[in-house]
Amino acid sequence: MVVVPIRLSEDNEIRLSKQAEVEGVSMNQIANKAIAEYVERHAHRDRVRKSATTQAARFAELMERLK
């Protein structure tokens, strides 16, 4: 595991601390989960964009003929 110091706004620190308490887990666990979800969401978005671009190019001629 890598140690990465992060700076949080006071508001985010308070919110993170409260959420950790509610869930009964550490702030670190919530931060790790949030980062993983963020990265996956953006990776998924990028895969969808790439696929849409590929499919649009693949069917461009057909779409033109259907106009």
Side-chain angles (χ1 to χ4, degrees):
M1 184 164 287
V2 177
V3 176
V4 179
I6 61 171
R7 296 175 199 260
L8 299 174
S9 67
E10 187 176 333
D11 183 54
N12 280 341
E13 190 275 331
I14 291 168
R15 294 170 65 202
L16 179 59
S17 177
K18 286 180 181 177
Q19 190 62 36
E21 188 175 329
V22 166
E23 293 184 27
V25 297
S26 70
M27 290 173 37
N28 184 63
Q29 287 174 294
I30 292 177
N32 269 299
K33 183 177 179 183
I35 291 166
E37 289 173 0
Y38 176 91
V39 170
E40 179 53 35
R41 187 171 54 250
H42 284 266
H44 178 262
R45 181 197 64 200
D46 294 342
R47 289 189 304 270
V48 169
R49 282 183 181 164
K50 182 178 179 183
S51 178
T53 300
T54 300
Q55 296 307 317
R58 179 178 173 199
F59 293 107
E61 183 182 334
L62 175 61
M63 296 304 288
E64 278 299 315
R65 286 190 274 156
L66 291 174
K67 283 185 178 180

Coordinates of all heavy atoms in Angstrom, one line a residue:
M1 N 0.9 -1.2 0.0 CA 0.0 0.0 0.0 C 0.9 1.2 0.0 O 1.9 1.3 0.7 CB -0.9 0.0 1.2 CG -1.9 1.1 1.2 SD -3.3 1.0 2.3 CE -4.2 -0.2 1.4
V2 N 0.5 2.2 -0.7 CA 1.3 3.5 -0.9 C 0.6 4.6 0.0 O -0.6 4.7 0.1 CB 1.2 4.0 -2.3 CG1 2.0 5.3 -2.5 CG2 1.9 2.9 -3.2
V3 N 1.4 5.3 0.7 CA 0.9 6.4 1.5 C 1.0 7.7 0.6 O 2.0 8.1 0.1 CB 1.8 6.6 2.7 CG1 1.4 7.9 3.5 CG2 1.8 5.4 3.6
V4 N -0.2 8.3 0.5 CA -0.3 9.5 -0.3 C -1.0 10.6 0.5 O -2.2 10.5 0.8 CB -1.1 9.3 -1.6 CG1 -1.2 10.6 -2.5 CG2 -0.5 8.2 -2.5
P5 N -0.3 11.6 0.9 CA -1.0 12.6 1.7 C -1.9 13.5 0.8 O -1.5 13.8 -0.3 CB 0.2 13.5 2.3 CG 1.4 13.2 1.4 CD 1.1 11.8 0.8
I6 N -3.1 13.8 1.3 CA -4.0 14.7 0.5 C -4.4 15.8 1.4 O -4.5 15.7 2.6 CB -5.2 13.9 0.0 CG1 -6.0 13.3 1.1 CG2 -4.8 12.8 -1.0 CD1 -7.3 12.7 0.6
R7 N -4.7 16.9 0.7 CA -5.2 18.1 1.4 C -6.7 18.2 1.2 O -7.2 18.1 0.0 CB -4.5 19.3 0.9 CG -3.1 19.4 1.2 CD -2.5 20.6 0.5 NE -1.0 20.5 0.4 CZ -0.1 21.0 1.2 NH1 -0.5 21.7 2.2 NH2 1.1 20.8 1.0
L8 N -7.5 18.2 2.3 CA -8.9 18.3 2.2 C -9.3 19.7 2.7 O -8.7 20.2 3.6 CB -9.6 17.3 3.0 CG -9.3 15.8 2.7 CD1 -10.0 14.9 3.7 CD2 -9.9 15.5 1.3
S9 N -10.4 20.2 2.1 CA -10.9 21.4 2.6 C -11.5 21.1 4.0 O -11.8 19.9 4.3 CB -12.1 22.0 1.7 OG -13.2 21.1 1.7
E10 N -11.7 22.1 4.8 CA -12.2 21.8 6.2 C -13.6 21.2 6.1 O -13.9 20.2 6.8 CB -12.3 23.1 7.0 CG -12.7 22.9 8.4 CD -12.7 24.1 9.2 OE1 -11.9 25.1 8.9 OE2 -13.4 24.2 10.2
D11 N -14.4 21.6 5.1 CA -15.8 21.1 4.9 C -15.7 19.6 4.5 O -16.4 18.8 5.1 CB -16.5 21.9 3.9 CG -17.9 21.4 3.7 OD1 -18.7 21.4 4.6 OD2 -18.3 21.1 2.5
N12 N -14.8 19.3 3.6 CA -14.7 17.9 3.1 C -14.2 17.0 4.2 O -14.6 15.9 4.4 CB -13.8 17.8 1.9 CG -14.6 18.1 0.6 OD1 -15.8 18.1 0.6 ND2 -13.8 18.4 -0.4
E13 N -13.3 17.5 5.0 CA -12.8 16.7 6.2 C -13.9 16.4 7.2 O -14.0 15.3 7.6 CB -11.6 17.5 6.8 CG -10.9 16.6 7.9 CD -11.5 16.6 9.2 OE1 -12.1 17.6 9.6 OE2 -11.4 15.6 9.9
I14 N -14.7 17.4 7.4 CA -15.8 17.2 8.4 C -16.8 16.2 7.8 O -17.2 15.3 8.5 CB -16.5 18.6 8.7 CG1 -15.5 19.4 9.5 CG2 -17.8 18.4 9.4 CD1 -16.0 20.9 9.7
R15 N -17.2 16.4 6.6 CA -18.1 15.5 5.9 C -17.6 14.1 5.9 O -18.3 13.1 6.1 CB -18.5 16.0 4.5 CG -19.2 17.3 4.6 CD -19.4 18.0 3.3 NE -20.2 17.2 2.4 CZ -20.2 17.2 1.1 NH1 -19.4 18.1 0.5 NH2 -21.0 16.5 0.4
L16 N -16.3 13.9 5.5 CA -15.7 12.6 5.4 C -15.7 12.0 6.8 O -16.0 10.8 7.0 CB -14.3 12.7 4.9 CG -13.4 11.4 4.7 CD1 -14.2 10.4 3.9 CD2 -12.1 11.8 4.2
S17 N -15.3 12.7 7.8 CA -15.2 12.2 9.2 C -16.6 11.7 9.7 O -16.7 10.6 10.2 CB -14.7 13.3 10.1 OG -14.7 12.8 11.4
K18 N -17.6 12.5 9.4 CA -19.0 12.1 9.8 C -19.5 10.9 9.1 O -20.1 10.0 9.7 CB -20.0 13.3 9.5 CG -19.8 14.4 10.5 CD -20.8 15.5 10.2 CE -20.7 16.7 11.2 NZ -21.6 17.8 11.0
Q19 N -19.2 10.8 7.8 CA -19.6 9.6 7.0 C -18.9 8.4 7.5 O -19.5 7.3 7.6 CB -19.3 9.9 5.5 CG -20.0 8.8 4.6 CD -21.5 8.7 4.8 OE1 -22.1 9.8 4.9 NE2 -22.0 7.6 4.7
A20 N -17.6 8.5 7.8 CA -16.8 7.4 8.3 C -17.4 6.9 9.6 O -17.6 5.7 9.9 CB -15.4 7.8 8.5
E21 N -17.8 7.8 10.5 CA -18.4 7.5 11.7 C -19.8 6.8 11.5 O -20.0 5.7 12.1 CB -18.6 8.7 12.6 CG -19.1 8.4 14.0 CD -19.2 9.7 14.9 OE1 -18.4 10.6 14.6 OE2 -20.0 9.7 15.8
V22 N -20.6 7.3 10.6 CA -21.9 6.7 10.3 C -21.7 5.2 9.8 O -22.4 4.3 10.2 CB -22.7 7.5 9.3 CG1 -23.8 6.7 8.7 CG2 -23.1 8.8 9.9
E23 N -20.7 5.0 8.9 CA -20.5 3.7 8.3 C -19.7 2.8 9.2 O -19.6 1.6 8.9 CB -19.8 3.9 7.0 CG -20.7 4.5 5.9 CD -20.1 4.6 4.5 OE1 -19.3 3.7 4.2 OE2 -20.5 5.5 3.8
G24 N -19.1 3.4 10.2 CA -18.2 2.6 11.1 C -17.0 2.1 10.4 O -16.5 1.0 10.7
V25 N -16.4 2.9 9.5 CA -15.2 2.6 8.9 C -14.2 3.8 9.0 O -14.6 4.8 9.4 CB -15.4 2.2 7.4 CG1 -16.3 1.0 7.2 CG2 -16.0 3.4 6.6
S26 N -13.0 3.6 8.5 CA -12.1 4.7 8.6 C -12.3 5.7 7.4 O -12.9 5.4 6.4 CB -10.6 4.1 8.5 OG -10.4 3.6 7.2
M27 N -11.8 6.9 7.7 CA -11.8 7.9 6.6 C -11.0 7.4 5.4 O -11.4 7.6 4.2 CB -11.3 9.2 7.1 CG -12.2 9.9 8.1 SD -11.5 11.4 9.0 CE -10.6 12.2 7.8
N28 N -9.9 6.7 5.7 CA -9.1 6.1 4.6 C -9.9 5.2 3.7 O -9.8 5.2 2.5 CB -7.9 5.4 5.2 CG -7.0 4.9 4.1 OD1 -6.4 5.7 3.4 ND2 -6.8 3.6 4.1
Q29 N -10.7 4.3 4.3 CA -11.5 3.4 3.6 C -12.5 4.1 2.6 O -12.7 3.7 1.5 CB -12.3 2.4 4.5 CG -11.4 1.4 5.1 CD -12.1 0.6 6.2 OE1 -12.6 1.1 7.2 NE2 -12.3 -0.7 5.9
I30 N -13.1 5.1 3.1 CA -14.1 5.9 2.3 C -13.4 6.6 1.2 O -13.8 6.6 0.1 CB -14.9 6.9 3.2 CG1 -15.8 6.1 4.1 CG2 -15.7 7.8 2.3 CD1 -16.6 6.9 5.1
A31 N -12.2 7.2 1.5 CA -11.5 7.9 0.5 C -11.0 6.9 -0.6 O -11.1 7.2 -1.8 CB -10.3 8.6 1.1
N32 N -10.5 5.8 -0.2 CA -10.1 4.7 -1.2 C -11.3 4.3 -2.1 O -11.1 4.2 -3.3 CB -9.5 3.5 -0.5 CG -8.0 3.6 -0.4 OD1 -7.3 3.7 -1.3 ND2 -7.6 3.6 0.9
K33 N -12.4 4.1 -1.5 CA -13.6 3.7 -2.2 C -14.1 4.8 -3.2 O -14.4 4.5 -4.4 CB -14.7 3.3 -1.3 CG -16.0 2.8 -2.0 CD -17.1 2.4 -1.0 CE -18.3 1.9 -1.7 NZ -19.4 1.6 -0.7
A34 N -14.0 6.0 -2.7 CA -14.4 7.1 -3.6 C -13.5 7.3 -4.8 O -14.0 7.5 -5.9 CB -14.5 8.4 -2.7
I35 N -12.2 7.1 -4.5 CA -11.3 7.2 -5.6 C -11.5 6.1 -6.6 O -11.5 6.3 -7.8 CB -9.8 7.3 -5.1 CG1 -9.6 8.6 -4.3 CG2 -8.8 7.1 -6.2 CD1 -8.3 8.6 -3.4
A36 N -11.7 4.9 -6.1 CA -11.9 3.8 -7.0 C -13.1 4.0 -7.9 O -13.1 3.7 -9.1 CB -12.0 2.5 -6.2
E37 N -14.2 4.4 -7.3 CA -15.5 4.7 -8.0 C -15.3 5.8 -9.0 O -15.8 5.7 -10.1 CB -16.6 5.0 -7.0 CG -17.0 3.8 -6.2 CD -18.0 4.1 -5.1 OE1 -18.4 5.3 -5.0 OE2 -18.5 3.2 -4.4
Y38 N -14.6 6.8 -8.6 CA -14.3 7.9 -9.6 C -13.5 7.5 -10.8 O -13.9 7.7 -11.9 CB -13.6 9.0 -8.8 CG -13.2 10.2 -9.7 CD1 -14.0 11.3 -9.9 CD2 -12.0 10.2 -10.4 CE1 -13.7 12.4 -10.7 CE2 -11.6 11.2 -11.2 CZ -12.5 12.3 -11.4 OH -12.1 13.4 -12.2
V39 N -12.5 6.7 -10.5 CA -11.6 6.3 -11.6 C -12.4 5.3 -12.5 O -12.3 5.4 -13.8 CB -10.3 5.6 -11.1 CG1 -9.6 4.9 -12.2 CG2 -9.5 6.6 -10.4
E40 N -13.2 4.4 -12.0 CA -13.9 3.5 -12.8 C -15.0 4.2 -13.6 O -15.2 3.9 -14.7 CB -14.6 2.4 -11.9 CG -15.5 1.4 -12.7 CD -14.8 0.7 -13.8 OE1 -13.5 0.5 -13.8 OE2 -15.4 0.5 -14.9
R41 N -15.7 5.1 -13.0 CA -16.7 5.9 -13.7 C -16.1 6.6 -14.9 O -16.7 6.6 -16.0 CB -17.4 6.9 -12.7 CG -18.6 7.6 -13.3 CD -19.3 8.4 -12.2 NE -18.5 9.3 -11.5 CZ -18.2 9.2 -10.2 NH1 -18.6 8.2 -9.5 NH2 -17.4 10.1 -9.6
H42 N -15.0 7.2 -14.7 CA -14.3 8.0 -15.8 C -13.8 7.0 -16.9 O -13.8 7.3 -18.0 CB -13.3 8.9 -15.3 CG -13.9 10.1 -14.7 ND1 -14.1 11.3 -15.4 CD2 -14.4 10.4 -13.5 CE1 -14.7 12.2 -14.6 NE2 -14.9 11.6 -13.4
A43 N -13.3 5.9 -16.4 CA -12.8 4.9 -17.4 C -13.9 4.3 -18.2 O -13.8 4.1 -19.4 CB -12.1 3.7 -16.6
H44 N -15.1 4.1 -17.6 CA -16.3 3.6 -18.3 C -16.7 4.7 -19.3 O -17.0 4.3 -20.4 CB -17.4 3.3 -17.3 CG -18.6 2.8 -17.9 ND1 -19.7 3.7 -18.2 CD2 -19.0 1.6 -18.4 CE1 -20.6 3.0 -18.8 NE2 -20.2 1.8 -19.0
R45 N -16.8 5.9 -18.9 CA -17.2 7.0 -19.8 C -16.2 7.0 -21.0 O -16.7 7.1 -22.1 CB -17.1 8.3 -19.0 CG -17.5 9.5 -19.9 CD -17.1 10.8 -19.3 NE -15.6 10.8 -19.3 CZ -14.9 11.6 -18.6 NH1 -15.5 12.5 -17.7 NH2 -13.6 11.6 -18.6
D46 N -15.0 6.9 -20.8 CA -14.0 6.9 -21.9 C -14.2 5.7 -22.8 O -14.1 5.8 -24.0 CB -12.6 6.9 -21.3 CG -12.2 8.2 -20.6 OD1 -13.0 9.2 -20.8 OD2 -11.3 8.2 -19.8
R47 N -14.5 4.5 -22.2 CA -14.8 3.3 -23.1 C -16.0 3.5 -23.9 O -16.1 3.2 -25.1 CB -14.9 2.1 -22.2 CG -13.6 1.6 -21.6 CD -13.7 0.2 -21.0 NE -14.8 0.1 -19.9 CZ -14.6 0.4 -18.6 NH1 -13.4 0.7 -18.2 NH2 -15.6 0.2 -17.8
V48 N -17.1 4.1 -23.3 CA -18.3 4.4 -24.0 C -18.1 5.4 -25.2 O -18.5 5.2 -26.3 CB -19.4 4.9 -23.1 CG1 -20.6 5.4 -23.8 CG2 -19.8 3.7 -22.1
R49 N -17.3 6.4 -24.9 CA -17.0 7.4 -25.9 C -16.3 6.8 -27.1 O -16.5 7.0 -28.2 CB -16.2 8.6 -25.4 CG -17.0 9.5 -24.6 CD -16.2 10.7 -24.1 NE -17.0 11.6 -23.4 CZ -16.5 12.6 -22.6 NH1 -15.2 12.7 -22.4 NH2 -17.3 13.4 -21.9
K50 N -15.3 6.0 -26.8 CA -14.5 5.3 -27.8 C -15.3 4.4 -28.6 O -15.3 4.4 -29.9 CB -13.3 4.5 -27.2 CG -12.4 3.9 -28.2 CD -11.3 3.1 -27.5 CE -10.4 2.5 -28.6 NZ -9.3 1.7 -28.0
S51 N -16.2 3.6 -28.0 CA -17.1 2.7 -28.7 C -18.1 3.5 -29.6 O -18.3 3.1 -30.7 CB -17.9 1.8 -27.7 OG -18.8 1.0 -28.3
A52 N -18.6 4.6 -29.0 CA -19.6 5.4 -29.8 C -18.9 5.9 -31.0 O -19.5 6.0 -32.1 CB -20.2 6.5 -28.9
T53 N -17.7 6.4 -30.9 CA -16.9 7.0 -32.0 C -16.7 5.9 -33.1 O -16.9 6.1 -34.3 CB -15.6 7.6 -31.5 OG1 -15.9 8.6 -30.6 CG2 -14.8 8.1 -32.7
T54 N -16.3 4.7 -32.6 CA -16.0 3.6 -33.5 C -17.3 3.2 -34.2 O -17.3 3.0 -35.5 CB -15.5 2.4 -32.7 OG1 -14.2 2.8 -32.1 CG2 -15.2 1.2 -33.6
Q55 N -18.4 3.1 -33.5 CA -19.6 2.7 -34.1 C -20.2 3.7 -35.1 O -20.7 3.4 -36.2 CB -20.7 2.3 -33.1 CG -20.3 1.1 -32.2 CD -20.0 -0.1 -33.0 OE1 -20.6 -0.5 -34.0 NE2 -18.9 -0.8 -32.6
A56 N -20.0 5.0 -34.7 CA -20.5 6.1 -35.6 C -19.7 6.0 -36.9 O -20.3 6.2 -38.0 CB -20.3 7.4 -34.9
A57 N -18.4 5.8 -36.9 CA -17.6 5.7 -38.1 C -18.0 4.5 -38.9 O -18.1 4.5 -40.1 CB -16.1 5.7 -37.7
R58 N -18.2 3.4 -38.2 CA -18.6 2.1 -38.8 C -19.9 2.2 -39.6 O -20.0 1.7 -40.7 CB -18.7 1.0 -37.8 CG -19.1 -0.3 -38.3 CD -19.1 -1.3 -37.2 NE -19.6 -2.6 -37.7 CZ -20.1 -3.5 -36.9 NH1 -20.0 -3.4 -35.6 NH2 -20.5 -4.7 -37.4
F59 N -20.8 3.0 -39.1 CA -22.2 3.0 -39.7 C -22.4 4.4 -40.4 O -23.6 4.6 -40.8 CB -23.3 2.7 -38.6 CG -23.2 1.3 -38.1 CD1 -22.8 1.0 -36.9 CD2 -23.6 0.3 -39.0 CE1 -22.7 -0.3 -36.4 CE2 -23.6 -1.0 -38.5 CZ -23.1 -1.3 -37.3
A60 N -21.4 5.2 -40.5 CA -21.6 6.5 -41.1 C -22.2 6.4 -42.5 O -23.2 7.2 -42.9 CB -20.3 7.3 -41.2
E61 N -21.7 5.6 -43.3 CA -22.2 5.4 -44.7 C -23.7 5.0 -44.7 O -24.5 5.5 -45.4 CB -21.4 4.4 -45.5 CG -21.8 4.3 -46.9 CD -21.0 3.2 -47.7 OE1 -19.9 3.0 -47.3 OE2 -21.6 2.7 -48.7
L62 N -24.0 4.0 -43.9 CA -25.4 3.6 -43.8 C -26.3 4.7 -43.3 O -27.4 4.9 -43.9 CB -25.5 2.4 -42.8 CG -26.9 1.8 -42.5 CD1 -27.6 1.4 -43.8 CD2 -26.8 0.7 -41.5
M63 N -25.9 5.4 -42.3 CA -26.7 6.6 -41.8 C -26.9 7.6 -42.9 O -28.0 8.2 -43.0 CB -26.0 7.2 -40.6 CG -25.9 6.3 -39.4 SD -27.5 5.6 -38.9 CE -28.2 7.0 -38.2
E64 N -25.9 7.8 -43.8 CA -26.1 8.8 -44.9 C -27.1 8.3 -45.8 O -28.0 9.0 -46.3 CB -24.8 9.0 -45.6 CG -23.9 10.0 -44.9 CD -24.5 11.4 -44.8 OE1 -25.1 11.9 -45.8 OE2 -24.4 12.0 -43.7
R65 N -27.1 7.0 -46.2 CA -28.1 6.4 -47.1 C -29.5 6.4 -46.6 O -30.4 6.5 -47.3 CB -27.7 5.0 -47.5 CG -26.5 4.9 -48.4 CD -26.3 3.6 -48.9 NE -25.5 2.8 -48.0 CZ -25.4 1.5 -47.9 NH1 -26.2 0.8 -48.6 NH2 -24.7 0.9 -47.0
L66 N -29.6 6.4 -45.2 CA -31.0 6.4 -44.6 C -31.6 7.8 -44.5 O -32.8 7.9 -44.2 CB -30.9 5.8 -43.2 CG -30.6 4.3 -43.2 CD1 -30.4 3.8 -41.8 CD2 -31.7 3.5 -43.9
K67 N -30.8 8.8 -44.8 CA -31.4 10.2 -44.7 C -32.4 10.4 -45.7 O -32.5 10.1 -46.8 CB -30.2 11.2 -44.9 CG -29.4 11.4 -43.6 CD -28.4 12.5 -43.8 CE -27.6 12.7 -42.5 NZ -26.7 13.8 -42.7

